[in-house]
Amino acid sequence: MPQHYPFTAIVGCEPDALDPMGLSLVLSTISPQIGGVLVRGQKGTAKSTAVRALAEVLPRISVYDGDRFSIDPDDPQATSPDGPFTAESARHERPVRLVELPVGATEDRVLGSLHLQSALSAGEVSYEPGLLARAHRGILYVDEVNLLHDHLVDLLLDAAAMGRSTVERDGISVSHQARFVLIGTMNPEEGELRPQLLDRFGLTVEVSAPHEHAARAAVVRRRMAFDGDPTAFIAAHAADEAALSARIADAQQRLGAVRLGDAALLKIAEVCAAFEVDGLRADIVTARTAIAHAAWCGRASVTREDIRQAALLALPHRRRRNPFDAPGMDEELLDQVLGDDDLPPDEPHQPDEPHQPDEPGPEDPGQGEATDPQGDLPQGDGQGRAPEGGPDQEPPAVDQPRDTPENSSDVNPPEQDLPALPPTGAVPETVVQAGTPSPRPRTFTVRGLGEGAAGRRSRAITSSGRRVGARRPESGPGSLHLVETLRAAAGEQPRRRALQPPTPEPVEGLDIRAEDLRLAVREGREANLVLFCVDASGSMAARKRMVQVKTAILSLLLDAYRRRDKVGLVTFRGQGAELALPPTRSIDIAAARLDEIPAGGRTPLAEGLLETARVLRREQLRDPQLRPLLVLVTDGRATAGAGAVDRSRQAADFVAGLGISTVVIDGEQGPLRLGLARQLATRMGAEHVPVDEVTADGLTRTVRSQLPLSHPAPSTHSSSSRSPSTSR
């Protein structure tokens, strides 16, 4: 059995000095009704280590023998599909389970499904429990939850909120309890969760590697000691582990007796209103977290400090109005709303009246003054996209030195780092920021049926969605299509019986063999890649023009964030091109990189096209089913170096040979026009769009209208059917 790193040995998870991550994990186990924890942080910050270690310190639970659904024997209302169980039924104690949900899990694996062996061998319809049933009264852990399919995240959060899972499929109707602590970890650099899903997590914490030398050294020292002798290291922390387990058990017992007074409840409402969170889920989660924190600290009632700690864990991710808002919490505003005084004690209730904390208590002279906390709120916090220390605070690119030799002629910069932009001579550079993005840009989809990665945009054959056909299992794994399996077997019965030797008794039943198996073909949605290639030269440096282009890209980024698309950005100016934004789903990084793009200098059109082709080919090697769209924004001029025009024509021919559907946005304006962008579009077989349509709505509309047509959908009954990519 593998030995896990002790929870109390993690720097920041010591019992008497829990950091936000450790505190949120502990509070969620004390009160699972909080709704789970989302831990956000860069790689190597002990997120997974802390979650796996948490299960080792939780108190053991009692279950019935032979109960796959782990209902609580002490709960008279609990029922199990494996039951019925009585008070005389045998029971035993076992550790709390930590159930890990793989990113590539299917809906059948999560919910449960038909027991295939019983159905095929004995003809019995029985239910095989899924991960939700196994996680009941335990921990369900999803690493890289931001990469999990959205419909699975919805399913998990619904089960965590309702405490029950119901399965209605394949002739099965089963309902069972599913109360668990949902813990998700993620790296924001790999993409964000949608706001609707983010709000469903009770608590969220941001973790990062410590900057203090002593703390970093302590982490390394402890890890090396564990790797050198795990048994001795675990034994050295056994006492702390036992003390933490006992304290959690005591807090769980104390939880129901903690009093949430009227003054504390009003203060929670005041805090949530001051931070302008949507809905009332924040109030409920903050109240439950404050009660759990009071139980953890051994208090009989909720205090100001409990509310403060609860707000720091429950509100930061609910303050984000859109993906461009910087996450975080204004602690000065929080302290201002909470005040310096302790919460006033509630007036005692009459002896013959039971206390009902959810009903309004007696009138408090001070409550009337706290009903409108919005009077003097600072309006600037959380309203802009640029985080503190972001692009707005950087000096303009014109002040940077431009005579470094390594930037003079490197057309294809290294892919692992984003180097400085190439020099532009004496032409001044300008940096403009995008305007307000369209909150709901027009939705564009790839027409036809693809086979790309699961997303929320274009129709595709995916692992989830509605069932539209069946296929043989040779072309990959999938879920069983029972009806088609039985149909295939039934068609073979006369031939198989004719080949069998005669027997005294007639053979009854259906002879099902491996070659009869059929897997479901499901139609869902796929994600796409929209790659922008933007001319950032001096001829495109007009402020209004660049603002329009950046605003349009920002609107598409917002839409791509919601629909799980990938978006990339290549810019060219001066003497070369660079991949300013590698294809990504991280909206924060994308918005920051977009604002930093300067404009000015000559036009290396050939270098921009070749860099774009390199990015597209690399992405297609990573995902052959990816269906990209290239949006080229330029006036068509090529002025960088001798032979620039000929090189740009050769590069255009090369990109056209890739078969990528392309839109050319013509940046040329004025009464005298050379028409170079139109010629370029003709050479590339691309659609030409005048610059007058390069607006937030116009560019989005253009992208929507010019996405490529896919080939006709293949037969869903063929074992080797695949929808060819439009780029092939």
Side-chain angles (χ1 to χ4, degrees):
M1 184 175 181
Q3 294 177 303
H4 294 287
Y5 194 89
F7 186 82
T8 55
I10 300 174
V11 174
C13 292
E14 296 85 353
D16 297 329
L18 289 176
D19 62 5
M21 180 178 67
L23 181 61
S24 64
L25 294 176
V26 167
L27 295 182
S28 65
T29 58
I30 294 174
S31 177
Q33 289 185 331
I34 289 174
V37 182
L38 176 64
V39 183
R40 297 161 42 94
Q42 298 177 346
K43 53 186 177 295
T45 50
K47 302 185 297 296
S48 301
T49 301
V51 175
R52 294 186 176 98
L54 177 66
E56 301 296 324
V57 299
L58 296 183
R60 299 169 68 89
I61 61 173
S62 177
V63 297
Y64 288 115
D65 291 349
D67 182 15
R68 297 174 298 171
F69 299 86
S70 302
I71 64 172
D72 187 358
D74 298 325
D75 183 2
Q77 304 298 325
T79 59
S80 169
D82 285 343
F85 295 99
T86 64
E88 290 76 22
S89 300
R91 63 178 69 178
H92 65 279
E93 288 190 349
R94 64 164 176 80
V96 170
R97 287 175 179 161
L98 173 68
V99 179
E100 297 192 37
L101 176 63
V103 172
T106 62
E107 187 173 335
D108 292 342
R109 184 72 182 95
V110 176
L111 288 176
S113 61
L114 178 71
H115 194 289
L116 183 59
Q117 184 176 359
S118 299
L120 296 182
S121 60
E124 299 178 354
V125 178
S126 60
Y127 175 70
E128 180 71 18
L131 296 179
L132 294 183
R134 181 173 176 79
H136 179 50
R137 301 175 66 197
I139 298 175
L140 184 61
Y141 173 46
V142 186
D143 193 13
E144 306 295 351
V145 66
N146 52 324
L147 303 182
L148 193 67
H149 294 173
D150 285 347
H151 76 283
L152 290 182
V153 179
D154 284 327
L155 188 153
L156 294 179
L157 294 174
D158 286 341
M162 300 298 296
R164 179 166 291 275
S165 175
T166 301
V167 181
E168 299 279 355
R169 64 193 317 168
D170 295 329
I172 299 174
S173 178
V174 176
S175 180
H176 61 84
Q177 289 183 320
R179 298 187 181 277
F180 49 83
V181 178
L182 177 62
I183 301 178
T185 57
M186 60 173 284
N187 184 350
E189 295 180 354
E190 298 174 349
E192 292 282 355
L193 281 172
R194 290 187 291 122
Q196 296 88 341
L197 301 179
L198 193 62
D199 180 66
R200 296 294 296 276
F201 279 94
L203 309 178
T204 299
V205 291
E206 300 275 345
V207 296
S208 60
H211 296 288
E212 298 80 8
H213 298 171
R216 297 177 72 93
V219 172
V220 176
R221 186 180 300 109
R222 295 182 187 183
R223 185 68 213 190
M224 293 181 66
F226 174 78
D227 293 338
D229 191 348
T231 302
F233 187 83
I234 293 174
H237 290 83
D240 290 339
E241 294 279 286
L244 178 59
S245 180
R247 186 174 176 182
I248 292 176
D250 179 69
Q252 290 174 339
Q253 296 294 327
R254 188 190 298 271
L255 184 67
V258 175
R259 176 182 174 80
L260 178 64
D262 296 332
L265 190 56
L266 286 174
K267 184 61 68 175
I268 290 174
E270 183 180 352
V271 169
C272 293
F275 284 97
E276 300 180 342
V277 295
D278 295 328
L280 294 175
R281 184 177 285 120
D283 303 61
I284 297 173
V285 173
T286 304
R288 288 173 175 168
T289 307
I291 293 174
H293 189 268
W296 168 252
C297 295
R299 288 190 279 267
S301 60
V302 173
T303 65
R304 175 184 178 276
E305 179 61 23
D306 298 324
I307 297 175
R308 186 180 191 278
Q309 291 295 332
L312 290 175
L313 297 176
L315 298 185
H317 61 295
R318 294 185 167 90
R319 292 184 58 249
R320 303 186 70 178
R321 296 292 179 178
N322 59 66
F324 303 112
D325 292 339
M329 191 79 169
D330 187 349
E331 296 192 31
E332 293 184 2
L333 176 60
L334 177 60
D335 292 334
Q336 177 184 347
V337 176
L338 289 174
D340 298 328
D341 300 330
D342 293 333
L343 296 176
D346 291 339
E347 294 185 7
H349 291 258
Q350 297 296 331
D352 56 345
E353 295 181 359
H355 173 61
Q356 299 179 358
D358 292 335
E359 296 182 358
E363 293 186 2
D364 188 347
Q367 292 177 4
E369 301 176 357
T371 56
D372 186 13
Q374 307 290 337
D376 54 354
L377 277 178
Q379 299 299 320
D381 180 66
Q383 300 300 319
R385 296 191 315 274
E388 183 178 354
D392 290 344
Q393 297 183 3
E394 294 185 359
V398 71
D399 294 334
Q400 302 297 328
R402 302 193 185 99
D403 54 354
T404 54
E406 60 272 18
N407 290 335
S408 60
S409 61
D410 188 6
V411 175
N412 294 318
E415 296 177 9
Q416 62 271 22
D417 298 316
L418 293 178
L421 289 171
T424 59
V427 180
E429 299 171 350
T430 59
V431 179
V432 298
Q433 294 185 350
T436 302
S438 174
R440 296 196 178 276
R442 299 194 180 201
T443 302
F444 57 90
T445 61
V446 177
R447 294 184 293 271
L449 198 64
E451 289 188 340
R456 299 177 61 85
R457 185 170 300 279
S458 305
R459 294 175 57 230
I461 297 298
T462 61
S463 59
S464 61
R466 65 187 183 93
R467 202 158 49 189
V468 296
R471 61 177 175 83
R472 296 180 182 274
E474 288 84 356
S475 56
S479 59
L480 176 69
H481 197 309
L482 181 60
V483 174
E484 292 297 329
T485 298
L486 297 178
R487 183 178 298 172
E492 294 292 329
Q493 296 308 300
R495 183 182 62 83
R496 291 174 184 171
R497 290 175 180 174
L499 295 176
Q500 291 179 351
T503 58
E505 297 293 334
V507 178
E508 298 182 355
L510 194 64
D511 182 11
I512 300 179
R513 302 181 182 180
E515 59 265 25
D516 300 328
L517 293 180
R518 296 294 185 272
L519 303 181
V521 175
R522 299 183 181 275
E523 180 180 317
R525 296 283 175 174
E526 69 171 0
N528 300 108
L529 167 64
V530 180
L531 183 63
F532 290 89
C533 181
V534 179
D535 183 351
S537 62
S539 60
M540 292 288 293
R543 180 178 180 86
K544 181 179 179 181
R545 198 182 309 167
M546 289 304 296
V547 169
Q548 289 175 336
V549 172
K550 286 189 176 183
T551 303
I553 297 174
L554 203 60
S555 300
L556 293 176
L557 281 173
L558 179 60
D559 187 62
Y561 163 80
R562 295 181 179 131
R563 300 182 181 278
R564 315 305 295 168
D565 285 320
K566 297 178 71 175
V567 178
L569 176 63
V570 173
T571 63
F572 56 94
R573 56 187 270 284
Q575 298 295 327
E578 72 163 349
L579 180 60
L581 175 65
T584 180
R585 292 186 176 93
S586 177
I587 196 65
D588 295 329
I589 297 176
R593 291 290 177 88
L594 187 64
D595 280 342
E596 294 172 352
I597 296 175
R602 296 184 177 181
T603 309
L605 179 58
E607 286 74 9
L609 291 175
L610 292 177
E611 177 66 16
T612 300
R614 193 158 62 103
V615 174
L616 289 173
R617 293 184 66 179
R618 184 171 61 245
E619 290 300 312
Q620 287 187 313
L621 287 175
R622 293 174 177 173
D623 184 2
Q625 300 303 320
L626 187 66
R627 297 195 286 172
L629 170 69
L630 171 59
V631 180
L632 176 61
V633 184
T634 182
D635 56 9
R637 300 180 183 180
T639 61
V645 175
D646 292 336
R647 287 188 290 109
S648 65
R649 292 173 179 172
Q650 294 174 2
D653 293 339
F654 180 78
V655 173
L658 297 178
I660 302 297
S661 181
T662 306
V663 179
V664 175
I665 306 297
D666 190 349
E668 193 174 32
Q669 288 182 319
L672 298 177
R673 303 188 181 186
L674 301 177
L676 298 178
R678 181 181 294 275
Q679 297 175 19
L680 179 65
T682 302
R683 192 177 193 93
M684 298 179 65
E687 180 72 14
H688 174 264
V689 180
V691 70
D692 297 338
E693 298 185 24
V694 184
T695 61
D697 294 333
L699 182 55
T700 304
R701 189 182 310 114
T702 300
V703 172
R704 177 180 183 271
S705 64
Q706 297 302 324
L707 277 165
L709 287 170
S710 66
H711 293 277
S715 172
T716 57
H717 291 274
S718 173
S719 61
S720 60
S721 61
R722 300 178 66 87
S723 293
S725 170
T726 58
S727 62
R728 295 294 181 188

